């Protein structure tokens, strides 16, 4: 039988504790390692942007489509933006996104998403009177980031979505006929020009939003984007998402209707979010400042960060 003397036993315990600490530190380091975003970019075929909250977001706009709403041609940046948003989870990733699809593309794309191990969480319209008719498919998944990106690209290859990286755009020139600073003043939040004709104000909710225990930063698709597309002479078309808890849905709908703004869709985007959220899409075209005041009336009824 092996026996330990006091000094030897103390040393052995110290070595054991040190080994455990090193092992735990090493495990923590490995679990926190971010995915290789360059490899994700190569798998998707498009570069993304690293955003607040550690989210790597890749935009895939439907620049191939010529869509009108009530006779107004809508720009891809305004209402036709597919995307994939990745967030590190340990040494893997979660992904959430939205795909803009023609009716005939919905089933083949869904089939490939499911075959690739991704979950479809919603299929719906965003706007009415669209020509051609367009649907929006939300999806999510968890696992190796490159595998997820490969599955998304394979699914999109069943549609006419442009998959190649776009050529470098020329520097944006021009400005909308409305004043973005006035829009910001009315909305009480800052915004940004997505291009010379589309201005966006993004508003996050005040709560911490989670999906299966993982926090979802706004860039994962749970923020409120309010888009203004210039129509000339100070007029604009507007669309976007109000992200609402159940008690806010009808007060916001009433406020929008009282201000001449159509409610065009109401639905979920995810399945296990906490708090459970509803997404209200809207549309109107009129004087841009008048529309901003209408949107602000709805926004004031929600629990958002100021």
């Amino acid at each position: 039988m092996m026996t330990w003397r006091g000094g030897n036993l103390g040393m052995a315990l110290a070595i054991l504790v040190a080994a455990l600490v090193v092992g735990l530190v090493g495990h923590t380091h490995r679990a926190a390692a971010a995915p290789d975003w360059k490899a994700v970019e190569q798998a998707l075929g498009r570069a993304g942007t690293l955003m607040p909250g550690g989210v790597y977001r890749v935009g895939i706009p439907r620049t191939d489509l010529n869509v009108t709403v009530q006779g107004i041609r809508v720009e891809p940046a305004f209402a036709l933006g597919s995307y994939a948003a990745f967030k590190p989870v340990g040494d893997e990733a979660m992904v959430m996104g939205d795909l803009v699809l023609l009716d005939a593309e919905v089933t083949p794309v869904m089939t490939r998403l499911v075959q690739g191990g991704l979950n479809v969480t919603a299929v719906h319209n965003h706007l009415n009177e669209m020509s051609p008719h367009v649907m929006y498919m939300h999806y999510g998944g968890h696992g190796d980031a490159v595998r997820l990106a490969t599955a998304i690209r394979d699914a999109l290859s069943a549609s006419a979505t442009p998959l190649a990286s776009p050529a470098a755009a020329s520097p944006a020139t021009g400005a909308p006929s409305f004043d973005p600073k006035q829009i910001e003043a009315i909305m009480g939040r800052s915004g940004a020009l997505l291009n010379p004709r589309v201005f966006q104000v993004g508003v996050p909710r005040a709560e911490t939003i989670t999906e299966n225990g993982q926090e979802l930063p706004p860039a994962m698709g749970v923020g409120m984007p309010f888009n203004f597309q210039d129509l000339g002479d100070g007029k604009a078309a507007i669309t976007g998402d109000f992200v609402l808890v159940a008690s806010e849905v009808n007060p916001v709908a009433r406020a929008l209707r009282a201000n001449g703004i159509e409610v065009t869709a109401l639905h979920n985007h995810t399945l296990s979010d906490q708090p459970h959220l509803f997404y209200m899409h809207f549309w109107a075209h009129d004087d841009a400042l008048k529309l901003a005041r209408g949107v602000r009336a709805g926004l004031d009824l929600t629990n958002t960060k100021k």
Side-chain angles (χ1 to χ4, degrees):
M1 178 180 293
M2 182 179 292
T3 59
W4 293 97
R5 297 185 183 277
N8 290 341
L9 178 58
M11 182 177 292
L13 288 173
I15 292 171
L16 177 60
V17 170
L20 288 171
V21 170
V22 169
L24 288 172
V25 169
H27 176 75
T28 302
H29 175 72
R30 287 193 299 273
D36 183 349
W37 297 130
K38 193 67 177 178
V40 169
E41 173 190 332
Q42 291 171 347
L44 270 173
R46 280 179 174 262
T49 303
L50 193 58
M51 304 188 73
V55 175
Y56 186 74
R57 183 164 169 137
V58 182
I60 316 169
R62 287 302 299 260
T63 53
D64 60 307
L65 297 179
N66 183 359
V67 177
T68 61
V69 177
Q70 296 179 354
I72 296 171
R73 184 182 183 279
V74 298
E75 299 202 9
F78 177 69
L80 303 173
S82 297
Y83 72 91
F86 297 83
K87 180 191 172 186
V89 178
D91 56 0
E92 295 185 320
M94 65 184 298
V95 67
M96 297 172 63
D98 187 10
L99 304 179
V100 181
L101 303 170
L102 296 171
D103 289 353
E105 297 171 338
V106 169
T107 296
V109 169
M110 181 187 293
T111 299
R112 293 197 183 189
L113 283 175
V114 172
Q115 290 173 342
L118 292 160
N119 297 319
V120 174
T121 58
V123 180
H124 47 237
N125 71 298
H126 280 188
L127 297 172
N128 299 325
E129 300 179 65
M130 301 185 84
S131 180
H133 189 251
V134 174
M135 296 290 284
Y136 298 77
M137 183 180 297
H138 294 264
Y139 65 91
H142 180 278
D144 177 76
V146 175
R147 180 188 65 78
L148 294 171
T150 301
I152 294 165
R153 182 175 178 121
D154 179 64
L156 284 175
S157 69
S159 73
T161 302
L163 295 174
S165 292
S170 301
T173 58
S177 63
F178 56 80
D179 184 352
K181 292 297 183 186
Q182 289 183 289
I183 300 290
E184 291 178 328
I186 293 169
M187 299 283 287
R189 279 87 172 175
S190 60
L193 282 168
L194 304 183
N195 65 38
R197 297 190 63 224
V198 179
F199 181 68
Q200 182 181 89
V201 177
V203 181
R205 288 196 62 87
E207 307 94 333
T208 296
I209 300 167
T210 64
E211 172 84 2
N212 295 323
Q214 292 294 327
E215 183 176 350
L216 300 180
M220 290 297 286
V222 296
M224 300 192 204
F226 299 100
N227 294 339
F228 294 75
Q229 179 177 308
D230 183 34
L231 300 180
D233 297 324
K235 293 181 166 42
I238 59 168
T239 194
D241 292 346
F242 276 92
V243 183
L244 308 170
V245 295
S247 61
E248 296 169 344
V249 168
N250 279 290
V252 170
R254 293 187 186 102
L256 294 180
R257 292 304 305 126
N259 284 277
I261 299 171
E262 298 176 27
V263 175
T264 56
L266 175 66
H267 43 237
N268 67 292
H269 282 184
T270 58
L271 301 176
S272 304
D273 50 352
Q274 292 293 330
H276 188 49
L277 300 173
F278 298 87
Y279 294 75
M280 182 180 291
H281 298 268
F282 57 92
W283 163 267
H285 54 96
D286 203 333
D287 176 79
L289 303 186
K290 174 185 174 183
L291 295 176
R293 287 189 285 270
V295 170
R296 176 64 189 266
L299 196 56
D300 285 344
L301 301 172
T302 66
N303 182 28
T304 55
K305 290 183 180 178
K306 307 303 181 186

